[in-house]
Amino acid sequence: MNTRDLLFAFAALLPLPPQSAAQESPTLRKIAETGVISIGFRDKSIPFSYLDKQQRPTGYSIELCYRIVDAIRTRLKAPGLEVMLRPVTSANRSAFMVNGIVDLECGSTTNTLERQKEVAFSVTTFVAATSLVAKKTARIDSLQALKGSTVVSTAGTTAINALGETAQAQGLDLHIIPGRDHAEAFSLVEADRALAFVMDDVLLHGLVAAAKDPAMYAIAATDLPVQPYGIVVRKNDPEFKKLVDEAIVALFKSGEVQQIYRKWFAPLQLPMSPALKKAIAAPTDSGDPAAYR
């Protein structure tokens, strides 16, 4: 082997520079070439992703995503990387990811085995319990107490699917209205057009806290499965998902996630659940609710 061949062989053993990750990852390559990372956000998913009084996207998931953006800037050596914020809904969020319109979806999207056929998820960032909210005067304390009633849940969510399946299995004879978004669904309960709204507990707490008269409403538990949330990324891009996961796990290991959690959930008086503590101690991207017991 001559000197030139030896140099090439030695170079092949050296660690790849940060920019090389962009060649291995379609998402990183797109971001590097355009100088822009596109983030999908929800406008009414309090406290995960919503518009503040200045109409700027904010929330727990948004804050986590900006930490991910910092990691991407470092990896690409692109401190001037621009962030483009795009609103998404429960109906179009997966399509926006699949079609390359957004690079990260930072909302309140439940990781399920079915959704994993289209998109990928980061390690779990929150675990919600499926609950219901109704006016206190209705005295609803369980899903079974809604038998024969009109209820609402948000279209395109795992909650509405689980509600329909459970109602059929238990013979609850529910009339289920699909709300366009969480705010519209809650407004149907406010207007007495639906007896209850079935959705993830934390989202219900956020809606009640923002209601004109929070004292009018009560939130009750259901026997529906838990909902593990994650940051959504494109499928079949393991290099990008690894970067996203590493950025989140770094917050877990440093303990900084505790401060971030308190910032967004203390106002709702929601302590960290045992299921989320477990997911932080042993990070997982499982879409199986049984993994969070």
PDB file of all heavy atoms in Angstrom, residues 217-241:
ATOM      1  N   TYR A 217     -67.122  23.560  36.065  1.00  0.00           N
ATOM      2  CA  TYR A 217     -66.798  22.298  35.415  1.00  0.00           C
ATOM      3  C   TYR A 217     -66.074  21.325  36.343  1.00  0.00           C
ATOM      4  O   TYR A 217     -65.334  21.729  37.248  1.00  0.00           O
ATOM      5  CB  TYR A 217     -65.945  22.558  34.179  1.00  0.00           C
ATOM      6  CG  TYR A 217     -66.629  23.490  33.205  1.00  0.00           C
ATOM      7  CD1 TYR A 217     -66.387  24.859  33.241  1.00  0.00           C
ATOM      8  CD2 TYR A 217     -67.567  23.012  32.291  1.00  0.00           C
ATOM      9  CE1 TYR A 217     -67.044  25.730  32.378  1.00  0.00           C
ATOM     10  CE2 TYR A 217     -68.225  23.869  31.433  1.00  0.00           C
ATOM     11  CZ  TYR A 217     -67.968  25.235  31.479  1.00  0.00           C
ATOM     12  OH  TYR A 217     -68.632  26.082  30.638  1.00  0.00           O
ATOM     13  N   ALA A 218     -66.287  20.054  36.078  1.00  0.00           N
ATOM     14  CA  ALA A 218     -65.603  18.995  36.823  1.00  0.00           C
ATOM     15  C   ALA A 218     -64.983  18.016  35.830  1.00  0.00           C
ATOM     16  O   ALA A 218     -65.593  17.693  34.804  1.00  0.00           O
ATOM     17  CB  ALA A 218     -66.579  18.272  37.733  1.00  0.00           C
ATOM     18  N   ILE A 219     -63.785  17.551  36.134  1.00  0.00           N
ATOM     19  CA  ILE A 219     -63.080  16.580  35.288  1.00  0.00           C
ATOM     20  C   ILE A 219     -63.072  15.241  36.002  1.00  0.00           C
ATOM     21  O   ILE A 219     -62.750  15.162  37.194  1.00  0.00           O
ATOM     22  CB  ILE A 219     -61.645  17.062  35.008  1.00  0.00           C
ATOM     23  CG1 ILE A 219     -61.672  18.368  34.198  1.00  0.00           C
ATOM     24  CG2 ILE A 219     -60.856  15.990  34.251  1.00  0.00           C
ATOM     25  CD1 ILE A 219     -60.327  19.018  34.023  1.00  0.00           C
ATOM     26  N   ALA A 220     -63.452  14.198  35.274  1.00  0.00           N
ATOM     27  CA  ALA A 220     -63.512  12.859  35.861  1.00  0.00           C
ATOM     28  C   ALA A 220     -62.667  11.888  35.046  1.00  0.00           C
ATOM     29  O   ALA A 220     -62.513  12.043  33.829  1.00  0.00           O
ATOM     30  CB  ALA A 220     -64.962  12.373  35.912  1.00  0.00           C
ATOM     31  N   ALA A 221     -62.147  10.884  35.719  1.00  0.00           N
ATOM     32  CA  ALA A 221     -61.321   9.870  35.061  1.00  0.00           C
ATOM     33  C   ALA A 221     -62.195   8.910  34.261  1.00  0.00           C
ATOM     34  O   ALA A 221     -63.391   8.767  34.516  1.00  0.00           O
ATOM     35  CB  ALA A 221     -60.525   9.103  36.103  1.00  0.00           C
ATOM     36  N   THR A 222     -61.575   8.269  33.270  1.00  0.00           N
ATOM     37  CA  THR A 222     -62.243   7.220  32.504  1.00  0.00           C
ATOM     38  C   THR A 222     -61.351   5.991  32.522  1.00  0.00           C
ATOM     39  O   THR A 222     -60.210   6.036  32.996  1.00  0.00           O
ATOM     40  CB  THR A 222     -62.487   7.644  31.043  1.00  0.00           C
ATOM     41  OG1 THR A 222     -61.226   7.660  30.349  1.00  0.00           O
ATOM     42  CG2 THR A 222     -63.148   9.016  30.956  1.00  0.00           C
ATOM     43  N   ASP A 223     -61.863   4.906  31.970  1.00  0.00           N
ATOM     44  CA  ASP A 223     -61.062   3.683  31.897  1.00  0.00           C
ATOM     45  C   ASP A 223     -60.413   3.517  30.521  1.00  0.00           C
ATOM     46  O   ASP A 223     -59.999   2.430  30.145  1.00  0.00           O
ATOM     47  CB  ASP A 223     -61.914   2.457  32.221  1.00  0.00           C
ATOM     48  CG  ASP A 223     -63.210   2.399  31.413  1.00  0.00           C
ATOM     49  OD1 ASP A 223     -63.418   3.287  30.559  1.00  0.00           O
ATOM     50  OD2 ASP A 223     -64.006   1.469  31.647  1.00  0.00           O
ATOM     51  N   LEU A 224     -60.306   4.619  29.762  1.00  0.00           N
ATOM     52  CA  LEU A 224     -59.671   4.579  28.453  1.00  0.00           C
ATOM     53  C   LEU A 224     -58.146   4.567  28.611  1.00  0.00           C
ATOM     54  O   LEU A 224     -57.619   5.003  29.638  1.00  0.00           O
ATOM     55  CB  LEU A 224     -60.110   5.781  27.618  1.00  0.00           C
ATOM     56  CG  LEU A 224     -61.619   5.847  27.317  1.00  0.00           C
ATOM     57  CD1 LEU A 224     -61.963   7.130  26.562  1.00  0.00           C
ATOM     58  CD2 LEU A 224     -62.059   4.636  26.517  1.00  0.00           C
ATOM     59  N   PRO A 225     -57.394   4.106  27.597  1.00  0.00           N
ATOM     60  CA  PRO A 225     -55.935   3.987  27.714  1.00  0.00           C
ATOM     61  C   PRO A 225     -55.231   5.339  27.903  1.00  0.00           C
ATOM     62  O   PRO A 225     -55.753   6.388  27.510  1.00  0.00           O
ATOM     63  CB  PRO A 225     -55.520   3.362  26.376  1.00  0.00           C
ATOM     64  CG  PRO A 225     -56.768   2.742  25.828  1.00  0.00           C
ATOM     65  CD  PRO A 225     -57.899   3.595  26.317  1.00  0.00           C
ATOM     66  N   VAL A 226     -54.019   5.293  28.500  1.00  0.00           N
ATOM     67  CA  VAL A 226     -53.191   6.497  28.618  1.00  0.00           C
ATOM     68  C   VAL A 226     -52.696   6.895  27.233  1.00  0.00           C
ATOM     69  O   VAL A 226     -52.698   6.090  26.291  1.00  0.00           O
ATOM     70  CB  VAL A 226     -52.001   6.290  29.574  1.00  0.00           C
ATOM     71  CG1 VAL A 226     -52.485   5.967  30.976  1.00  0.00           C
ATOM     72  CG2 VAL A 226     -51.057   5.214  29.049  1.00  0.00           C
ATOM     73  N   GLN A 227     -52.234   8.150  27.129  1.00  0.00           N
ATOM     74  CA  GLN A 227     -51.808   8.702  25.847  1.00  0.00           C
ATOM     75  C   GLN A 227     -50.360   9.209  25.969  1.00  0.00           C
ATOM     76  O   GLN A 227     -50.121  10.271  26.534  1.00  0.00           O
ATOM     77  CB  GLN A 227     -52.716   9.881  25.457  1.00  0.00           C
ATOM     78  CG  GLN A 227     -54.203   9.590  25.549  1.00  0.00           C
ATOM     79  CD  GLN A 227     -54.698   8.731  24.403  1.00  0.00           C
ATOM     80  OE1 GLN A 227     -54.112   8.717  23.323  1.00  0.00           O
ATOM     81  NE2 GLN A 227     -55.773   8.002  24.625  1.00  0.00           N
ATOM     82  N   PRO A 228     -49.375   8.460  25.464  1.00  0.00           N
ATOM     83  CA  PRO A 228     -47.988   8.948  25.491  1.00  0.00           C
ATOM     84  C   PRO A 228     -47.737   9.932  24.347  1.00  0.00           C
ATOM     85  O   PRO A 228     -47.962   9.616  23.182  1.00  0.00           O
ATOM     86  CB  PRO A 228     -47.160   7.669  25.313  1.00  0.00           C
ATOM     87  CG  PRO A 228     -48.067   6.738  24.557  1.00  0.00           C
ATOM     88  CD  PRO A 228     -49.478   7.077  24.956  1.00  0.00           C
ATOM     89  N   TYR A 229     -47.303  11.141  24.681  1.00  0.00           N
ATOM     90  CA  TYR A 229     -47.016  12.166  23.671  1.00  0.00           C
ATOM     91  C   TYR A 229     -45.535  12.133  23.295  1.00  0.00           C
ATOM     92  O   TYR A 229     -44.668  11.848  24.126  1.00  0.00           O
ATOM     93  CB  TYR A 229     -47.298  13.571  24.207  1.00  0.00           C
ATOM     94  CG  TYR A 229     -48.731  13.914  24.510  1.00  0.00           C
ATOM     95  CD1 TYR A 229     -49.041  15.141  25.081  1.00  0.00           C
ATOM     96  CD2 TYR A 229     -49.786  13.045  24.240  1.00  0.00           C
ATOM     97  CE1 TYR A 229     -50.347  15.500  25.371  1.00  0.00           C
ATOM     98  CE2 TYR A 229     -51.094  13.390  24.524  1.00  0.00           C
ATOM     99  CZ  TYR A 229     -51.374  14.616  25.097  1.00  0.00           C
ATOM    100  OH  TYR A 229     -52.673  14.974  25.392  1.00  0.00           O
ATOM    101  N   GLY A 230     -45.269  12.500  22.055  1.00  0.00           N
ATOM    102  CA  GLY A 230     -43.891  12.659  21.609  1.00  0.00           C
ATOM    103  C   GLY A 230     -43.806  13.729  20.536  1.00  0.00           C
ATOM    104  O   GLY A 230     -44.830  14.155  19.987  1.00  0.00           O
ATOM    105  N   ILE A 231     -42.604  14.188  20.257  1.00  0.00           N
ATOM    106  CA  ILE A 231     -42.361  15.103  19.145  1.00  0.00           C
ATOM    107  C   ILE A 231     -42.357  14.267  17.867  1.00  0.00           C
ATOM    108  O   ILE A 231     -41.679  13.241  17.792  1.00  0.00           O
ATOM    109  CB  ILE A 231     -41.015  15.830  19.305  1.00  0.00           C
ATOM    110  CG1 ILE A 231     -40.954  16.546  20.671  1.00  0.00           C
ATOM    111  CG2 ILE A 231     -40.802  16.815  18.161  1.00  0.00           C
ATOM    112  CD1 ILE A 231     -42.047  17.561  20.910  1.00  0.00           C
ATOM    113  N   VAL A 232     -43.126  14.683  16.878  1.00  0.00           N
ATOM    114  CA  VAL A 232     -43.257  13.892  15.650  1.00  0.00           C
ATOM    115  C   VAL A 232     -42.157  14.269  14.654  1.00  0.00           C
ATOM    116  O   VAL A 232     -41.887  15.462  14.438  1.00  0.00           O
ATOM    117  CB  VAL A 232     -44.636  14.103  14.999  1.00  0.00           C
ATOM    118  CG1 VAL A 232     -44.788  13.208  13.773  1.00  0.00           C
ATOM    119  CG2 VAL A 232     -45.746  13.803  16.005  1.00  0.00           C
ATOM    120  N   VAL A 233     -41.536  13.255  14.070  1.00  0.00           N
ATOM    121  CA  VAL A 233     -40.512  13.450  13.041  1.00  0.00           C
ATOM    122  C   VAL A 233     -40.828  12.525  11.864  1.00  0.00           C
ATOM    123  O   VAL A 233     -41.725  11.686  11.950  1.00  0.00           O
ATOM    124  CB  VAL A 233     -39.094  13.160  13.582  1.00  0.00           C
ATOM    125  CG1 VAL A 233     -38.727  14.135  14.683  1.00  0.00           C
ATOM    126  CG2 VAL A 233     -38.984  11.721  14.086  1.00  0.00           C
ATOM    127  N   ARG A 234     -40.080  12.688  10.768  1.00  0.00           N
ATOM    128  CA  ARG A 234     -40.335  11.844   9.613  1.00  0.00           C
ATOM    129  C   ARG A 234     -39.880  10.405   9.853  1.00  0.00           C
ATOM    130  O   ARG A 234     -38.882  10.167  10.536  1.00  0.00           O
ATOM    131  CB  ARG A 234     -39.647  12.417   8.363  1.00  0.00           C
ATOM    132  CG  ARG A 234     -40.618  13.198   7.478  1.00  0.00           C
ATOM    133  CD  ARG A 234     -39.947  13.728   6.242  1.00  0.00           C
ATOM    134  NE  ARG A 234     -39.048  14.816   6.507  1.00  0.00           N
ATOM    135  CZ  ARG A 234     -39.450  16.055   6.822  1.00  0.00           C
ATOM    136  NH1 ARG A 234     -40.736  16.324   6.934  1.00  0.00           N
ATOM    137  NH2 ARG A 234     -38.577  17.003   7.029  1.00  0.00           N
ATOM    138  N   LYS A 235     -40.599   9.501   9.258  1.00  0.00           N
ATOM    139  CA  LYS A 235     -40.263   8.086   9.349  1.00  0.00           C
ATOM    140  C   LYS A 235     -39.052   7.791   8.459  1.00  0.00           C
ATOM    141  O   LYS A 235     -38.796   8.513   7.509  1.00  0.00           O
ATOM    142  CB  LYS A 235     -41.478   7.261   8.901  1.00  0.00           C
ATOM    143  CG  LYS A 235     -41.416   5.780   9.225  1.00  0.00           C
ATOM    144  CD  LYS A 235     -42.729   5.121   8.873  1.00  0.00           C
ATOM    145  CE  LYS A 235     -42.660   3.609   9.050  1.00  0.00           C
ATOM    146  NZ  LYS A 235     -42.449   3.224  10.454  1.00  0.00           N
ATOM    147  N   ASN A 236     -38.312   6.755   8.809  1.00  0.00           N
ATOM    148  CA  ASN A 236     -37.159   6.304   8.012  1.00  0.00           C
ATOM    149  C   ASN A 236     -36.048   7.349   7.926  1.00  0.00           C
ATOM    150  O   ASN A 236     -35.388   7.486   6.899  1.00  0.00           O
ATOM    151  CB  ASN A 236     -37.597   5.885   6.610  1.00  0.00           C
ATOM    152  CG  ASN A 236     -38.609   4.752   6.629  1.00  0.00           C
ATOM    153  OD1 ASN A 236     -38.504   3.848   7.462  1.00  0.00           O
ATOM    154  ND2 ASN A 236     -39.591   4.802   5.744  1.00  0.00           N
ATOM    155  N   ASP A 237     -35.866   8.105   9.013  1.00  0.00           N
ATOM    156  CA  ASP A 237     -34.739   9.034   9.104  1.00  0.00           C
ATOM    157  C   ASP A 237     -34.121   8.866  10.492  1.00  0.00           C
ATOM    158  O   ASP A 237     -34.237   9.734  11.358  1.00  0.00           O
ATOM    159  CB  ASP A 237     -35.208  10.472   8.886  1.00  0.00           C
ATOM    160  CG  ASP A 237     -34.036  11.438   8.659  1.00  0.00           C
ATOM    161  OD1 ASP A 237     -32.890  11.053   8.987  1.00  0.00           O
ATOM    162  OD2 ASP A 237     -34.264  12.548   8.161  1.00  0.00           O
ATOM    163  N   PRO A 238     -33.473   7.716  10.730  1.00  0.00           N
ATOM    164  CA  PRO A 238     -32.960   7.408  12.067  1.00  0.00           C
ATOM    165  C   PRO A 238     -31.911   8.394  12.573  1.00  0.00           C
ATOM    166  O   PRO A 238     -31.818   8.629  13.776  1.00  0.00           O
ATOM    167  CB  PRO A 238     -32.377   6.003  11.913  1.00  0.00           C
ATOM    168  CG  PRO A 238     -32.111   5.847  10.449  1.00  0.00           C
ATOM    169  CD  PRO A 238     -33.182   6.632   9.767  1.00  0.00           C
ATOM    170  N   GLU A 239     -31.127   8.987  11.676  1.00  0.00           N
ATOM    171  CA  GLU A 239     -30.098   9.941  12.106  1.00  0.00           C
ATOM    172  C   GLU A 239     -30.743  11.180  12.724  1.00  0.00           C
ATOM    173  O   GLU A 239     -30.297  11.682  13.754  1.00  0.00           O
ATOM    174  CB  GLU A 239     -29.233  10.334  10.912  1.00  0.00           C
ATOM    175  CG  GLU A 239     -28.088  11.286  11.266  1.00  0.00           C
ATOM    176  CD  GLU A 239     -27.000  10.637  12.108  1.00  0.00           C
ATOM    177  OE1 GLU A 239     -26.864   9.402  12.068  1.00  0.00           O
ATOM    178  OE2 GLU A 239     -26.287  11.381  12.804  1.00  0.00           O
ATOM    179  N   PHE A 240     -31.816  11.662  12.105  1.00  0.00           N
ATOM    180  CA  PHE A 240     -32.497  12.847  12.629  1.00  0.00           C
ATOM    181  C   PHE A 240     -33.226  12.510  13.931  1.00  0.00           C
ATOM    182  O   PHE A 240     -33.160  13.275  14.900  1.00  0.00           O
ATOM    183  CB  PHE A 240     -33.490  13.381  11.596  1.00  0.00           C
ATOM    184  CG  PHE A 240     -34.118  14.690  11.992  1.00  0.00           C
ATOM    185  CD1 PHE A 240     -33.348  15.843  12.057  1.00  0.00           C
ATOM    186  CD2 PHE A 240     -35.468  14.773  12.296  1.00  0.00           C
ATOM    187  CE1 PHE A 240     -33.914  17.061  12.431  1.00  0.00           C
ATOM    188  CE2 PHE A 240     -36.044  15.976  12.661  1.00  0.00           C
ATOM    189  CZ  PHE A 240     -35.269  17.127  12.728  1.00  0.00           C
ATOM    190  N   LYS A 241     -33.898  11.372  13.963  1.00  0.00           N
ATOM    191  CA  LYS A 241     -34.590  10.974  15.191  1.00  0.00           C
ATOM    192  C   LYS A 241     -33.601  10.812  16.350  1.00  0.00           C
ATOM    193  O   LYS A 241     -33.895  11.205  17.492  1.00  0.00           O
ATOM    194  CB  LYS A 241     -35.354   9.665  14.967  1.00  0.00           C
ATOM    195  CG  LYS A 241     -35.973   9.109  16.253  1.00  0.00           C
ATOM    196  CD  LYS A 241     -36.831   7.893  16.012  1.00  0.00           C
ATOM    197  CE  LYS A 241     -36.994   7.054  17.278  1.00  0.00           C
ATOM    198  NZ  LYS A 241     -37.367   7.796  18.479  1.00  0.00           N
TER     199      LYS A 241
END
